[in-house]
Amino acid sequence: MTKPQPAFSLPSIAAGDLTSDFDLTVEELQTLLDLAADVKRHPGHYRSALSGRIISLLFEKPSLRTRITFEVAAKQLGGDAILNIGPIGGREPVADVARNLERWTDLIVARTFDQKTVDDLARFARIPVINALSDMYHPCQVFADMLTLREHWGSVAGRKLAFVGDGNNVAHSLMLNAARLGLNFACIIPPGYEPNETIVAQAREFGQATGATVEVTTDIDEGLKNANAVYTDVWASMGQEHEAAERARVFAPYQVNTQLLAKAAPGALFLHCLPAHREEEVTAEVIESSVSVVFDEAENRLHAQKALLLMLLDGPAR
């Protein structure tokens, strides 16, 4: 099923969807971050950019930041959002869900357990689909992360970001986008919890074009060496609650505390996608410290997602 081309020329996303980080080119990623920064500086310029547009929010998982920021983004751009919580494709096939929503709304935002659900929505819907989190990727979070790092550093190129913890969806999106922006990346994980090998290989391929390195290691000292930012996530993601006790035992040496953070470069920033479990993957002392930018990241979810909606639905009002 061929999707109609957007009615605007620039900025836009050629793929027409954001099912994974691969749907953006390097140039589109840079444009999205630039646009997000402009939306943040000049919100009034975009107040009616999506007038009359309705966004479908399909959420299989609980959410605070993703749900609220997409709802607020749609409303502050002049549109609106409709929320549906529950399994996608339970009562009827995903294909039918997609073909119903395309008749009523202008874009689908899906937060799912399975990447295939996002892919199927995009396959059958003639409107754009955004991956708001799946088991493989979390692009919307990482756009906000990169925007945050750019705000603090000016440019991310040539710096180093170290992710400590599970080789999960956040780690996947971080390494893919870091490599494309020239940001060196280290994934520091316990044995047996490595990120997807194919995604690592693809991130390294991106890095060849930008000069960025992508490292996967169990060595905390080596991974944190010269790191300008340290990132962590919960040890057991939604759907892994039955593994929580075992993961707590295995990941305990990888807790981000003041001693671990001291192994990074002086003044290294601390990032977390939230929600955070204080005294588990990170101590309260670190997350409440002056180097923590976790609430900058949370705010920037709003601005990055506004830019994403604009690039998929309409050009900015000038």
Side-chain angles (χ1 to χ4, degrees):
M1 194 174 287
T2 303
K3 298 190 177 190
Q5 293 299 306
F8 57 93
S9 57
L10 210 145
S12 63
I13 295 172
D17 295 300
L18 184 80
T19 59
S20 76
D21 305 272
F22 296 104
D23 283 336
L24 287 184
T25 66
V26 176
E27 293 74 19
E28 289 169 349
L29 174 59
Q30 293 279 15
T31 296
L32 187 148
L33 295 175
D34 290 341
L35 179 57
D38 194 63
V39 167
K40 184 174 183 178
R41 284 193 302 266
H42 307 292
H45 293 179
Y46 303 88
R47 193 165 291 134
S48 60
L50 298 186
S51 178
R53 303 287 191 135
I54 305 296
I55 310 304
S56 294
L57 304 177
L58 303 184
F59 281 41
E60 292 185 322
K61 292 185 172 187
S63 175
L64 173 66
R65 279 151 297 279
T66 303
R67 172 185 171 179
I68 298 297
T69 52
F70 266 113
E71 286 194 23
V72 172
K75 293 174 188 294
Q76 289 185 346
L77 292 173
D80 210 338
I82 305 297
L83 175 68
N84 187 75
I85 300 174
I88 303 170
R91 294 176 61 240
E92 55 188 312
V94 173
D96 289 4
V97 173
R99 288 178 291 187
N100 275 273
L101 292 176
E102 72 181 19
R103 305 298 179 101
W104 308 323
T105 65
D106 299 287
L107 181 146
I108 299 169
V109 176
R111 182 176 172 91
T112 75
F113 284 97
D114 192 340
Q115 176 64 29
K116 185 177 184 300
T117 303
V118 180
D119 294 338
D120 286 348
L121 286 168
R123 176 185 173 194
F124 289 101
R126 292 178 295 178
I127 57 176
V129 172
I130 292 176
N131 181 342
L133 178 143
S134 70
D135 58 332
M136 289 297 291
Y137 307 101
H138 199 354
C140 293
Q141 174 63 50
V142 174
F143 300 154
D145 299 334
M146 295 301 155
L147 178 60
T148 302
L149 292 177
R150 291 205 332 176
E151 289 176 341
H152 284 268
W153 294 340
S155 171
V156 302
R159 302 269 188 162
K160 180 179 177 181
L161 170 63
F163 179 86
V164 185
D166 188 21
N168 61 10
N169 50 2
V170 174
H172 291 161
S173 287
L174 278 172
M175 71 176 66
L176 290 168
N177 288 289
R180 290 193 292 183
L181 294 172
L183 175 62
N184 299 315
F185 182 82
C187 188
I188 308 165
I189 40 80
Y193 293 89
E194 294 84 359
N196 181 279
E197 292 181 357
T198 300
I199 291 176
V200 173
Q202 291 166 329
R204 286 174 173 158
E205 185 175 334
F206 289 145
Q208 290 177 359
T210 63
T213 60
V214 176
E215 175 187 7
V216 178
T217 180
T218 60
D219 188 325
I220 296 172
D221 289 356
E222 181 62 28
L224 288 171
K225 186 177 180 181
N226 299 321
N228 306 109
V230 178
Y231 198 124
T232 194
D233 191 5
V234 296
W235 291 337
S237 299
M238 286 176 283
Q240 298 174 333
E241 289 82 0
H242 62 289
E243 302 177 21
E246 175 62 13
R247 284 173 172 261
R249 182 189 68 79
V250 172
F251 283 86
Y254 296 80
Q255 180 191 71
V256 179
N257 49 42
T258 54
Q259 293 77 26
L260 185 143
L261 196 59
K263 299 176 186 292
L269 300 175
F270 172 72
L271 295 92
H272 193 304
C273 54
L274 301 180
H277 298 163
R278 288 162 171 79
E279 311 312 325
E280 291 184 16
E281 75 275 3
V282 60
T283 61
E285 184 177 11
V286 168
I287 201 169
E288 300 294 346
S289 72
S290 61
V291 299
S292 174
V293 295
V294 299
F295 298 111
D296 292 345
E297 296 171 80
E299 177 187 345
N300 283 335
R301 289 292 300 273
L302 174 63
H303 309 302
Q305 287 162 192
K306 281 184 178 180
L308 182 59
L309 291 175
L310 289 166
M311 291 178 71
L312 285 170
L313 283 177
D314 209 341
R318 297 289 186 186

